[in-house]
Amino acid sequence: MKQVLIATNNKGKAKDFEALFNPLGVTVMTLNDLEETIDVEETGTTFEENAILKAEEVSKLLGVIVIADDSGLEVDALDGAPGVYSARYAGLEKNDDANIDKVLEGLTGVSDEERTARFRCVLAVAGPEMETVTFSGSCEGSILHDRRGTNGFGYDPIFYTPIKERAMAELSAIEKGEISHRGAALAQLKEHLPKLMESFGASR
């Protein structure tokens, strides 16, 4: 596999995939690299449903092997929100700062001990004439009271990871890949690549 299409327009996600795939000699393409505009409506109620929906729909449209992910933040004190609505928690315009503000407002007065949260990610791999497979990963942490760091994207500035003792946005791309939910899911994907390569070959 020399090239992989990631079903996303999110440049932040693309960087995460590039950091993990480029060392393997695999070129990462996203929906931003295509001439046509593809926007799959995420109607699933779980991360897995949305990942499969995106991977299969884009693969069907383009006739190629596609990796799609659905990921988000689950905050225990907010009953698991924002969950599958993480990207559009504060509105359909998908504004990272507005989403962060809404989470922080929802946690006003909540103690440090009760601010537990996790990032979750599900990857789906779909292609012509091959069975769709999924891989999942998570990263446990807690929600800070204020933003920290300038790296990453999404909720990274308010997500504290005890393993690194820093906010996710204070980590380098390599450090984030070592502990992130997407990194964990991609590690599973790489572990199964030999078997998947057989499917890739059969689907061509």
Side-chain angles (χ1 to χ4, degrees):
M1 183 171 60
K2 297 299 182 183
Q3 182 174 290
V4 61
L5 176 64
I6 311 299
T8 184
N9 292 300
N10 188 309
K11 294 180 180 179
K13 285 185 180 181
K15 289 181 180 179
D16 283 351
F17 280 102
E18 287 169 358
L20 288 147
F21 271 109
N22 286 353
L24 301 176
V26 178
T27 300
V28 171
M29 292 183 64
T30 70
L31 298 180
N32 291 321
D33 297 312
L34 304 178
E35 292 184 2
E36 57 188 301
T37 300
I38 298 177
D39 188 14
V40 179
E41 187 176 358
E42 299 176 15
T43 57
T45 58
T46 66
F47 294 120
E48 185 172 56
E49 287 177 0
N50 280 332
I52 291 173
L53 182 69
K54 287 187 283 188
E56 292 184 345
E57 185 67 22
V58 175
S59 178
K60 188 184 301 182
L61 287 170
L62 302 179
V64 298
I65 294 164
V66 174
I67 297 178
D69 94 317
D70 196 44
S71 56
L73 177 70
E74 296 177 337
V75 182
D76 294 326
L78 299 178
D79 297 323
V84 295
Y85 303 106
S86 291
R88 52 192 185 279
Y89 192 44
L92 296 178
E93 68 278 4
K94 298 182 179 181
N95 183 291
D96 286 349
D97 282 328
N99 289 336
I100 287 175
D101 287 340
K102 185 172 181 178
V103 168
L104 292 178
E105 288 169 9
L107 293 177
T108 300
V110 177
S111 67
D112 290 345
E113 293 74 21
E114 297 178 314
R115 299 172 79 92
T116 52
R118 72 204 49 79
F119 277 125
R120 289 195 59 230
C121 172
V122 175
L123 296 176
V125 184
E129 300 178 12
M130 65 173 281
E131 184 178 352
T132 301
V133 292
T134 61
F135 305 92
S136 62
S138 63
C139 178
E140 296 290 330
S142 60
I143 303 301
L144 296 163
H145 293 267
D146 299 290
R147 292 167 172 80
R148 293 186 195 173
T150 57
N151 298 328
F153 63 101
Y155 297 94
D156 287 354
I158 60 169
F159 187 85
Y160 178 81
T161 167
I163 296 177
K164 296 292 186 179
E165 298 183 333
R166 280 171 286 167
M168 195 75 88
E170 294 178 300
L171 306 179
S172 68
I174 293 176
E175 289 176 311
K176 180 179 176 180
E178 292 171 348
I179 57 97
S180 77
H181 52 308
R182 192 167 294 110
L186 277 166
Q188 290 184 33
L189 171 60
K190 283 192 275 187
E191 184 181 337
H192 289 81
L193 268 182
K195 185 176 180 179
L196 284 174
M197 286 296 286
E198 297 177 11
S199 299
F200 295 161
S203 66
R204 291 191 178 115

